[in-house]
Amino acid sequence: MRVCIIGLGYIGFPTACIIADAGHEVVGVDVNRDLISKLKNGGLHIVNENGLADLANRAIESGHLTVSEKPEPADVFIIAVPTPFKVSGAYTAAVRPDGFDKAALEVAATYENPIADLTCVEDATQSIVPFVKKGDLIILESTVPPGTTADVVCRILEHGSKLRSVDELFVVHAPERVLPGKIVHELIHNDRIVGGVTPEATQAGVAFYQTFVQGEVIGTDSSTAELVKLMENTFRDVNIALANEFAIICERLGINAFEAIKLANRHPRVNFLSPGPGVGGHCIAIDPYFVIQAAPQESQLIGLARQINSAMPNHVMQLFEELVDEAKAAGRIVNA
Ligand SMILES: NC(=O)c1ccc[n+]([C@@H]2O[C@H](COP(=O)([O-])OP(=O)(O)OC[C@H]3O[C@@H](n4cnc5c(N)ncnc54)[C@H](O)[C@@H]3O)[C@@H](O)[C@H]2O)c1
């Protein structure tokens, strides 16, 4: 199959290499000219990823992977562009296109929740419109709020190509759940969720991922697939918030939080993550906001967890300053 991958970052580039290595003809596309020119000159923009350099060399030398600044016609298009968040004054309008909801606004204001910035997804989708033909499979891998594949991606594709996403195109969401450092291994071996906007799209998406994924490829609908990805990272965020809350409780009670958590985790069905100033990676601190954006009134615990975790860097700095003051008072630190 001919595959066109839009966005050659931490997700898109290793994915392009793996798909090319599986025998597909892949063109990798990125708007970053320096990145494309580096790749064309034999360089690599992602380092410290086990196995990626060998895989990339093999894919490029075999001629199965080429790179370009512009999309090309293909049978499969994969969009793997960034989805950061943005702070928006138009929060409620974005959340509730059907009308003003005061309660939703109050929840948003209380927790100062940002919303997803879908500009890159919209631009990337727009960029493939001239090349999409009847029967093509279009995959959104970027992490997005529930409904984005069916609403945003399908709307742009249908408007531009005049093809119907219900019976002329196969449109799916296939979220990523890789660990930096182990991306190549996990892209091949992790189970994958593939959610189509129609059952036929799901079937086409599952069949495609089965050509290079060794884990189980599980089909569902696109909104469920979008939410599943957000649930995974939200689970970790809320778990860390609970660990952080216990860490603060332990400070109040004069108990060592790390010792208490280590002992609690000896219970066979308890698994606290570690308290601390950060929640790890860039996804966990962003993805819960996409859930809150979709259902602000119903996301009370998720919003509170974000609030607790966001306050931790300041709290840890305060503890650090107290330690420094104590050390200075005891003469263990002398001002330079
Ligand atoms: N990195 C991870 O560990 C990870 C894990 C799971 C999910 N995700 C999700 O995957 C998506 C991609 O993340 P990433 O880490 O690969 O991002 P990244 O920033 O590493 O790479 C994205 C690439 O897309 C390019 N790009 C942006 N707009 C474009 C356009 N219109 N056309 C072509 N190229 C364009 C950028 O130049 C960049 O090279 C995000 O939604 C992210 O949340 C990432």
Side-chain angles (χ1 to χ4, degrees), residues 31-48:
V31 287
N32 182 337
R33 286 185 178 170
D34 293 341
L35 188 160
I36 293 297
S37 126
K38 189 169 197 170
L39 286 170
K40 281 187 171 167
N41 290 318
L44 199 58
H45 59 301
I46 300 173
V47 290
N48 297 334

Side-chain angles (χ1 to χ4, degrees), residues 10-292:
Y10 279 90
I11 295 300
F13 185 67
T15 301
C17 294
I18 286 166
I19 293 176
D21 204 43
H24 295 287
E25 202 184 318
V26 181
V27 56
V29 178
D30 205 290
V31 287
N32 182 337
R33 286 185 178 170
D34 293 341
L35 188 160
I36 293 297
S37 126
K38 189 169 197 170
L39 286 170
K40 281 187 171 167
N41 290 318
L44 199 58
H45 59 301
I46 300 173
V47 290
N48 297 334
E49 272 303 334
N50 280 327
L52 183 61
D54 287 348
L55 185 66
N57 284 338
R58 210 161 55 226
I60 291 168
E61 276 167 19
S62 69
H64 282 299
L65 174 61
T66 55
V67 294
S68 170
E69 286 169 32
K70 297 262 179 260
E72 294 178 12
D75 309 303
V76 180
F77 292 88
I78 300 179
I79 298 170
V81 295
T83 41
F85 60 61
K86 62 181 177 186
V87 177
S88 169
Y91 187 92
T92 303
V95 174
R96 305 268 168 185
D98 51 329
F100 183 77
D101 183 328
K102 189 165 179 296
L105 181 64
E106 279 166 6
V107 171
T110 307
Y111 298 130
E112 295 173 344
N113 294 314
I115 60 169
D117 181 350
L118 296 176
T119 312
C120 291
V121 170
E122 289 166 352
D123 290 350
T125 309
Q126 197 64 57
S127 76
I128 64 171
V129 162
F131 305 97
V132 166
K133 61 184 185 309
K134 190 173 172 182
D136 281 352
L137 171 62
I138 294 102
I139 301 167
L140 178 64
E141 286 207 357
S142 304
T143 306
V144 289
T148 303
T149 308
D151 295 343
V152 179
V153 173
C154 286
R155 177 176 43 78
I156 294 172
L157 288 173
E158 290 194 351
H159 184 258
S161 71
K162 307 294 176 224
L163 293 166
R164 291 182 305 271
S165 57
V166 284
D167 57 356
E168 293 184 303
L169 297 170
F170 299 105
V171 186
V172 306
H173 177 63
E176 283 297 350
R177 38 163 67 132
V178 291
L179 182 69
K182 290 181 68 182
I183 287 182
V184 172
H185 177 86
E186 294 213 346
L187 280 176
I188 296 171
H189 293 95
N190 284 358
D191 290 346
R192 291 297 295 259
I193 309 294
V194 177
V197 298
T198 61
E200 294 75 19
T202 304
Q203 222 175 353
V206 168
F208 173 67
Y209 277 91
Q210 282 171 336
T211 65
F212 61 95
V213 168
Q214 289 178 26
E216 194 176 342
V217 184
I218 303 150
T220 182
D221 64 85
S222 58
S223 295
T224 304
E226 289 162 336
L227 185 64
V228 164
K229 166 68 192 173
L230 303 177
M231 284 169 73
E232 292 163 3
N233 280 344
T234 301
F235 172 83
R236 294 176 68 78
D237 199 41
V238 172
N239 185 322
I240 294 166
L242 185 61
N244 280 331
E245 189 154 284
F246 270 116
I248 291 167
I249 291 168
C250 284
E251 279 166 30
R252 167 66 64 93
L253 302 179
I255 292 168
N256 182 326
F258 290 99
E259 171 74 359
I261 284 175
K262 194 171 78 184
L263 294 178
N265 280 348
R266 298 296 288 265
H267 185 292
R269 286 167 296 281
V270 171
N271 184 20
F272 278 98
L273 297 175
S274 300
V279 292
H282 70 280
C283 295
I284 297 179
I286 296 177
D287 296 355
Y289 289 124
F290 296 0
V291 182
I292 299 170

